[in-house]
Amino acid sequence: MAEDRPSDAQLVERAREGESDAFGLLVERHQDYVYNSVFHLVGTEPVAEDLAQETFVRAFEHLDGFEGRARFTTWLYSIMLNCVRSHWRRANRARVLSTDREEGAPNPVSDADGPVESNVREERVRRVRAAIGELEPDHREIIVLRDIRGLTYEELARTLDLPAGTVKSRLYRARRQLKDKLAPYWATQQ
Amino acid sequence: MTPDCRKYRKLFSEYLDERLPADEREALEEHLSGCPECREEMRAWRATVRAVGELPARTPRAGFARRVAERIEATETGPKKSTIPGRWRQVLPLAALFLVIVGLSVFLFHEAGRDAAPGERLAMQPEQTEEVASEPAPAQRTAKGRAEPAAPSEMKGAATEEGPARAEEARRRERPAAAPEAQKTSAGAGARSEAVPPPAEASYPAADRETGPNVRLQKMQRLTEVARKAMPMLGGRGRDETGRRLTVRSGRPAEDAGRVMELAIRQGMGGNLQFAPDGRIVVLLNAAPEQVEKLLASVSESFQVPQRDTLGARPEAEQPEPALERARPGPVRLQIAIVPVEQGESPEREDADEDGR
């Protein structure tokens, strides 16, 4: 029932009061959201795991800094982006995104696909990920947040702390660059 | 591509997000219906946005929330307790060791200056008061080839009468032949104000360390011993310096490093000690060439090495005497490596590795 499910703000308040399970519920509620975004930003599962964990650890440490004016997810995504940017700075390889599938990582292609279709889809996934990994970091961020996570323009503006006009122009440039990188591949698919 | 194409293509992104006002959307669609190039371009845009949106979602491994909780707990109880950044945690012990050595050097210099009263030896003596009590008066010592102990009435301090004689006898046993320079220095009290002490007084034979209280030297020995024990934990390593080098085999490297260091300090040199994990102790000194020669002379006398450019550890050790590399002109970086007898490499190999030459 909807009323049985506490809101993010309520869980935050309970976590602030020392209820450890409340923050655990927040983690479980948003872990897929955070992890998937981080994975598409950094491209490898171990790093995504580490940065997703770091995102929640930082969120817990700065829980008092959440004022409730924005959605919890917007605040959480800002922390996530800071973690990823710190990682990029540390690794000094912001433009590199591993396209190799990690050992033991789940196959992104459904087992229900036939072998030919499966290969085609896997190739497309690999190419798209590689193209995203070649984008500038700020373009990669906005592509992931908009086209993978589905944030609205307003949410993009709050999360990235950008004016609405900048969100539109940055998203346009990011998509155009991505399209240019994938255009040769699309030509072969017709 | 016409200017119209360029204008409409800038709307593609918002068109795909269905954010264009109705009039702009209709104008764009009308343009697309008459422009095959822009239709093709729109197809590529649409395929790109759709392909990104269709990327398979990734989920964390099971137990993610538990791992986060563990990490939060570890952060709260573990690393946060240390307020020293990791890089400084590695550097601080070395810095502390450096400060100990520098502080000890300053202390010894200070003591030497305080002891340099007219008519007395200018050079530093280990534990002045008690050393005087255990040795003959300088004038007597120099005149008699340091064979006779001073009369009790001439002594300072509280040493017994037997102490000086026993110490002197032990010193004589350990150093059967007195240094020629010491015997030549028999000019009396005036001559004793020279900066360089008689070589015989520069030695600290084992008998003195065992029978006569030599607090200053003992402090240095303790410090060097502590530092030597600490260095393996710190991953200490010796630097490959250029200049003159000397390798010494010693049964008591910490003590002998202290001896060499004190001799160097007496002669106005600055330097430090480095402790290698394998037990070697390297005395690093900056000195003018003449200082180097003087130090080597003193060290040779102190360790009773007949040849000036070689240095043995202890007479009873009977180690082969390693060769000393010749100096390059100008200021000299002098290294004296004290290698434990039980684990040191052969002197020949030590010398072959020196300076990479």
Side-chain angles (χ1 to χ4, degrees):
Chain A
M1 295 172 61
E3 52 266 28
D4 292 336
R5 178 185 165 91
S7 68
D8 287 347
Q10 288 172 325
L11 288 175
V12 168
E13 193 57 38
R14 284 161 53 182
R16 281 174 175 162
E17 292 170 356
E19 187 180 330
S20 57
D21 289 347
F23 191 76
L25 288 174
L26 284 170
V27 174
E28 289 176 355
R29 186 177 290 180
H30 299 289
Q31 63 184 24
D32 292 351
Y33 205 59
V34 169
Y35 180 88
N36 191 40
S37 301
V38 173
F39 174 80
H40 285 105
L41 287 168
V42 300
T44 62
E45 285 194 340
V47 178
E49 165 84 15
D50 181 61
L51 294 179
Q53 285 185 22
E54 188 179 343
T55 297
F56 286 107
V57 171
R58 283 199 203 178
F60 180 80
E61 290 174 345
H62 299 92
L63 215 51
D64 289 338
F66 176 62
E67 298 175 350
R69 289 182 297 192
R71 291 172 58 185
F72 177 74
T73 49
T74 302
W75 181 73
L76 190 62
Y77 268 37
S78 299
I79 294 173
M80 178 194 75
L81 288 177
N82 284 335
C83 290
V84 172
R85 289 166 183 168
S86 297
H87 162 74
W88 280 336
R89 281 194 294 271
R90 285 194 301 267
N92 195 25
R93 51 187 172 91
R95 295 163 190 254
V96 179
L97 178 69
S98 171
T99 57
D100 296 332
R101 202 150 45 83
E102 305 82 10
E103 188 176 349
N107 193 323
V109 180
S110 166
D111 293 338
D113 295 332
V116 176
E117 188 179 358
S118 172
N119 288 340
V120 170
R121 288 193 59 188
E122 189 166 4
E123 173 66 8
R124 188 173 72 209
V125 167
R126 192 187 67 78
R127 285 181 178 269
V128 173
R129 280 190 185 148
I132 292 174
E134 292 172 3
L135 294 175
E136 297 288 334
D138 54 350
H139 288 171
R140 199 184 311 172
E141 289 173 0
I142 202 164
I143 288 285
V144 169
L145 292 178
R146 171 61 191 167
D147 292 333
I148 294 178
R149 296 308 324 153
L151 267 61
T152 66
Y153 280 45
E154 291 73 23
E155 289 170 333
L156 289 174
R158 284 196 293 270
T159 303
L160 297 171
D161 195 20
L162 294 173
T166 305
V167 168
K168 281 195 284 189
S169 59
R170 183 176 294 182
L171 182 59
Y172 167 78
R173 287 197 302 272
R175 283 172 166 171
R176 189 184 62 189
Q177 284 192 9
L178 193 59
K179 182 268 301 176
D180 289 343
K181 292 179 185 300
L182 290 170
Y185 176 68
W186 300 140
T188 65
Q189 299 303 300
Q190 291 179 348
Chain B
M1 188 167 58
T2 66
D4 267 1
C5 293
R6 202 168 286 118
K7 181 184 73 175
Y8 285 117
R9 288 184 183 187
K10 287 186 178 177
L11 301 176
F12 280 5
S13 180
E14 287 187 88
Y15 176 78
L16 291 171
D17 288 332
E18 300 180 351
R19 288 183 56 90
L20 283 179
D23 55 339
E24 286 186 311
R25 187 181 69 244
E26 290 168 3
L28 173 58
E29 288 174 345
E30 187 177 342
H31 174 79
L32 287 174
S33 63
C35 179
E37 289 182 359
C38 284
R39 278 204 303 276
E40 188 63 26
E41 183 72 4
M42 173 57 83
R43 193 174 294 117
W45 272 77
R46 197 184 296 275
T48 299
V49 173
R50 182 187 299 149
V52 174
E54 289 178 352
L55 284 175
R58 305 298 285 260
T59 56
R61 290 182 290 115
F64 178 84
R66 176 181 49 78
R67 292 193 294 277
V68 170
E70 290 171 353
R71 189 159 164 179
I72 288 173
E73 187 176 352
T75 304
E76 287 183 323
T77 59
K80 273 200 168 179
K81 283 190 173 178
S82 174
T83 56
I84 304 171
R87 186 173 52 184
W88 287 102
R89 280 200 297 275
Q90 297 173 353
V91 171
L92 278 178
L94 292 174
L97 178 62
F98 174 76
L99 286 176
V100 166
I101 293 171
V102 170
L104 188 62
S105 304
V106 170
F107 170 74
L108 292 174
F109 272 119
H110 173 73
E111 291 296 303
R114 196 177 64 183
D115 293 345
E120 293 191 8
R121 290 177 297 173
L122 180 62
M124 183 185 309
Q125 293 184 46
E127 202 53 34
Q128 178 86 1
T129 303
E130 293 165 30
E131 188 76 10
V132 170
S134 62
E135 289 187 0
Q140 290 175 308
R141 183 174 59 244
T142 53
K144 299 177 182 178
R146 49 196 304 272
E148 297 293 331
S153 60
E154 295 173 300
M155 294 179 184
K156 300 175 185 177
T160 64
E161 292 181 18
E162 296 176 3
R166 192 168 60 235
E168 188 61 28
E169 181 59 27
R171 184 182 296 115
R172 214 178 290 120
R173 281 199 307 270
E174 182 163 321
R175 185 171 46 251
E181 289 84 352
Q183 293 176 339
K184 291 174 187 173
T185 310
S186 56
R192 280 183 276 110
S193 64
E194 294 173 357
V196 180
E201 295 171 3
S203 66
Y204 300 92
D208 274 2
R209 290 196 296 271
E210 291 164 6
T211 58
N214 189 334
V215 177
R216 197 176 304 155
L217 181 57
Q218 288 171 352
K219 284 180 180 176
M220 176 174 280
Q221 289 165 354
R222 279 198 297 271
L223 284 171
T224 54
E225 193 63 32
V226 168
R228 185 183 65 80
K229 290 176 179 174
M231 283 308 287
M233 291 185 293
L234 306 175
R237 55 185 170 81
R239 286 159 47 193
D240 186 19
E241 300 288 348
T242 58
R244 298 189 66 170
R245 293 178 175 223
L246 185 61
T247 301
V248 182
R249 309 294 294 270
S250 168
R252 295 181 176 179
E255 290 180 11
D256 287 335
R259 295 172 67 184
V260 173
M261 194 69 182
E262 189 166 1
L263 285 171
I265 292 171
R266 281 183 171 200
Q267 297 184 13
M269 297 182 201
N272 57 55
L273 302 175
Q274 290 189 346
F275 302 81
D278 60 2
R280 283 182 306 136
I281 302 176
V282 181
V283 182
L284 294 170
L285 301 166
N286 279 319
E290 62 273 14
Q291 285 182 304
V292 172
E293 298 301 328
K294 191 185 296 181
L295 175 69
L296 291 176
S298 298
V299 169
S300 297
E301 293 293 340
S302 171
F303 285 82
Q304 298 181 353
V305 177
Q307 298 174 1
R308 207 177 67 171
D309 60 349
T310 57
L311 183 62
R314 292 175 183 279
E316 63 271 21
E318 294 183 359
Q319 295 295 322
E321 292 173 351
L324 175 67
E325 276 203 22
R326 287 296 94 200
R328 296 189 300 185
V332 175
R333 186 87 165 150
L334 176 63
Q335 287 189 30
I336 301 176
I338 294 107
V339 181
V341 169
E342 64 276 10
Q343 53 183 299
E345 296 175 349
S346 71
E348 291 76 15
R349 180 177 170 184
E350 286 283 315
D351 292 338
D353 289 341
E354 287 174 4
D355 294 346
R357 287 182 287 184

